[in-house]
Amino acid sequence: MPLIKWNDKKMSIHVSELDRQHHKMADMINELYEAIEAKAQKELLAQLLIKLVHYTRHHFATEERYFDEYGYPDAVAHTLEHDQLRAKVANLDENYYKGDRMLTYDAIGLLNEWISKHTAITDKKFGIFVMTRTHAGWQDLRDVSSV
């Protein structure tokens, strides 16, 4: 059973590329969670964790490119949130390699909370900003604002 169930109404920010990436990150978190629950070998868990960490970095770089492209006024604060997660994940990754298997659960908890809260609040604000800049989907704008 997946840990994260994608919910477009709560999690979509209505920026297609970023929504696809968020969805993929949720799938990757679920894959890692299921491997942990199945008591998979440490090597597989390490591979899944590394893959997720790298993809998260790629996603942040993509979002930050959008901030520049659209002149997002809250880019500095939003990027600071990314930097905080980068630091936490780097610490988890380092400690995991020192042999602390429980850190995988910590990573799952951290990333689950991140994708649930950061996406639904901080990223959604950016999605609204993009929609107002592109004049795309006024119906979507109303739906996002009512969440």
Side-chain angles (χ1 to χ4, degrees):
M1 175 176 223
L3 178 67
I4 300 170
K5 293 179 184 168
W6 187 262
N7 180 324
D8 271 338
K9 183 155 179 75
K10 290 182 181 176
M11 300 172 94
S12 175
I13 66 166
H14 304 277
V15 177
S16 297
E17 182 177 19
L18 299 180
D19 279 340
R20 282 191 303 275
Q21 288 182 359
H22 288 147
H23 201 276
K24 182 172 180 172
M25 287 170 59
D27 288 345
M28 293 171 81
I29 292 167
N30 285 334
E31 183 180 12
L32 179 58
Y33 175 74
E34 289 168 8
I36 292 167
E37 290 296 298
K39 302 197 183 328
Q41 298 234 335
K42 184 175 180 176
E43 293 77 22
L44 174 62
L45 295 177
Q47 280 180 329
L48 294 172
L49 184 59
I50 289 168
K51 187 169 89 172
L52 180 56
V53 166
H54 285 263
Y55 194 78
T56 301
R57 288 181 184 142
H58 164 73
H59 168 69
F60 288 167
T62 303
E63 267 191 12
E64 291 163 10
R65 180 175 44 82
Y66 271 85
F67 298 164
D68 291 343
E69 183 178 330
Y70 286 93
Y72 187 46
D74 291 333
V76 172
H78 197 136
T79 301
L80 180 60
E81 286 187 33
H82 289 173
D83 291 344
Q84 290 168 345
L85 182 66
R86 283 181 185 110
K88 288 178 185 177
V89 168
N91 187 45
L92 289 172
D93 193 34
E94 180 182 318
N95 288 332
Y96 182 77
Y97 281 104
K98 291 179 182 173
D100 190 347
R101 185 179 174 103
M102 288 306 295
L103 283 171
T104 310
Y105 279 108
D106 292 343
I108 287 291
L110 176 67
L111 293 167
N112 179 33
E113 181 177 339
W114 175 267
I115 201 160
S116 299
K117 291 183 180 174
H118 178 82
T119 301
I121 298 168
T122 307
D123 286 347
K124 204 165 274 260
K125 288 178 187 174
F126 175 67
I128 291 169
F129 176 80
V130 170
M131 282 190 288
T132 62
R133 289 291 183 256
T134 60
H135 305 289
W138 292 109
Q139 178 65 35
D140 285 347
L141 180 60
R142 191 177 69 233
D143 289 347
V144 170
S145 297
S146 66
V147 176

